[in-house]
Amino acid sequence: QQQVKQSPQSLIVQKGGISIINCAYENTAFDYFPWYQQFPGKGPALLIAIRPDVSEKKEGRFTISFNKSAKQFSLHIMDSQPGDSATYFCAARGGTYKYIFGTGTRLKVLA
Amino acid sequence: DTGVSQDPRHKITKRGQNVTFRCDPISEHNRLYWYRQTLGQGPEFLTYFQNEAQLEKSRLLSDRFSAERPKGSFSTLEIQRTEQGDSAMYLCASSLGLVETQYFGPGTRLLVL
C-alpha cells in the first residue's frame, strides 16, 4: 500500500512531441504528489507538484494530471526537447513528511 | 546547485569497514532527509530529522546505519561493517517547515568491494 507504481520504464520521443509518464498509488493518505527530474550524477530536482484537491496543474511545458478516484497521476511534457532527456520520478508524500518514490522513467528525446 | 552539499561525492571501501557521510543542508531549512538510491530505482527513504530530532527511521534500515544531526545543522550518516549490498548513492535533502519542496544534494556514491 506504500508503493507508487510508475510506467513506462523508458520512453523515446521525437523532438517536439509529447512525453507522458504515469504513476499509480494505493494509499489514500498521500497528500502531495511531486515529480522530480534527475540528470546523471546529480540529485533529483523538483519539477512540478500537485495536491489531490486539484485535477490539473501546468507550469510552462510541464503539466500534471491528477485523477483522485482512480488514484493515478501523470506528467505530460509538451514540445519535448533534447535537454529534457533525463530520468523522471514521481513521488507521493504521507502525513509524516515521508516520501515514496516511483522507480523512474528514463526519457530520451531525439533531436 | 541547490545549496545542499554532500561530502564526499564518492567513497570506495572494503567490506567490513565503517564509513561516514556528511550533509550540509540549506542553512535555514529545519527538515533533513536521507535517502538511498540504487541503479534503476527511485530514492528510498532512510530517515528524517526535524531540527536535531530524528523523527522517523525506515524499518528497512539495519542497526548498522545511524544518523545524527547535532544542533540541527549538518547531518552525518554512518554505516558500520559495510556490506556489498550497501553499495548505492546516498542522497540528502532538506526543506523548510511546511513548505513541501525538498532540495536534494548531489549525493555520495558508495562502492563496497
Side-chain angles (χ1 to χ4, degrees):
Chain A
Q1 213 184 18
Q2 287 287 66
Q3 281 186 325
V4 177
K5 295 182 180 180
Q6 183 171 348
S7 63
Q9 189 174 357
S10 62
L11 182 62
I12 299 175
V13 174
Q14 293 288 337
K15 179 182 176 181
I18 302 174
S19 303
I20 301 174
I21 304 170
N22 302 297
C23 283
Y25 64 97
E26 289 293 326
N27 189 344
T28 55
F30 288 148
D31 62 356
Y32 179 69
F33 300 87
W35 283 90
Y36 286 85
Q37 179 188 56
Q38 186 175 28
F39 292 104
K42 304 282 188 181
L46 180 68
L47 203 55
I48 186 172
I50 198 167
R51 290 187 173 277
D53 53 351
V54 176
S55 61
E56 185 175 283
K57 183 174 182 180
K58 183 177 180 179
E59 290 183 2
R61 296 185 294 109
F62 301 94
T63 300
I64 298 179
S65 296
F66 190 88
N67 186 329
K68 189 174 180 178
S69 61
K71 291 184 280 188
Q72 295 176 347
F73 59 110
S74 59
L75 174 69
H76 295 234
I77 305 174
M78 313 299 285
D79 187 28
S80 299
Q81 299 297 311
D84 297 330
S85 297
T87 300
Y88 293 80
F89 294 96
C90 62
R93 187 188 71 175
T96 57
Y97 293 91
K98 178 179 173 180
Y99 287 76
I100 307 297
F101 282 77
T103 51
T105 295
R106 183 173 291 185
L107 171 66
K108 185 175 178 64
V109 181
L110 301 177
Chain B
D1 184 4
T2 63
V4 179
S5 61
Q6 292 187 243
D7 185 70
R9 294 291 310 277
H10 299 90
K11 179 71 178 178
I12 300 174
T13 190
K14 292 182 179 179
R15 187 176 55 185
Q17 298 294 306
N18 299 343
V19 294
T20 300
F21 309 142
R22 177 180 171 125
C23 171
D24 286 90
I26 295 172
S27 60
E28 65 269 25
H29 284 187
N30 60 340
R31 298 178 189 273
L32 187 146
Y33 304 77
W34 283 99
Y35 293 87
R36 178 171 60 192
Q37 185 176 26
T38 54
L39 203 61
Q41 298 295 316
E44 176 187 18
F45 172 82
L46 293 179
T47 190
Y48 152 60
F49 290 86
Q50 182 168 315
N51 299 312
E52 66 274 9
Q54 187 174 18
L55 297 187
E56 188 163 351
K57 186 175 175 179
S58 170
R59 282 171 286 180
L60 300 174
L61 210 60
S62 80
D63 292 341
R64 296 183 297 105
F65 287 71
S66 62
E68 294 182 340
R69 193 184 181 196
K71 302 178 183 177
S73 56
F74 71 93
S75 176
T76 58
L77 177 69
E78 181 182 18
I79 309 174
Q80 296 182 325
R81 305 180 304 282
T82 52
E83 301 172 357
Q84 288 184 326
D86 297 331
S87 295
M89 172 80 87
Y90 290 84
L91 293 163
C92 172
S94 70
S95 67
L96 175 62
L98 297 177
V99 176
E100 292 94 350
T101 303
Q102 286 193 337
Y103 294 88
F104 280 85
T108 295
R109 185 169 295 280
L110 172 67
L111 178 61
V112 182
L113 301 176

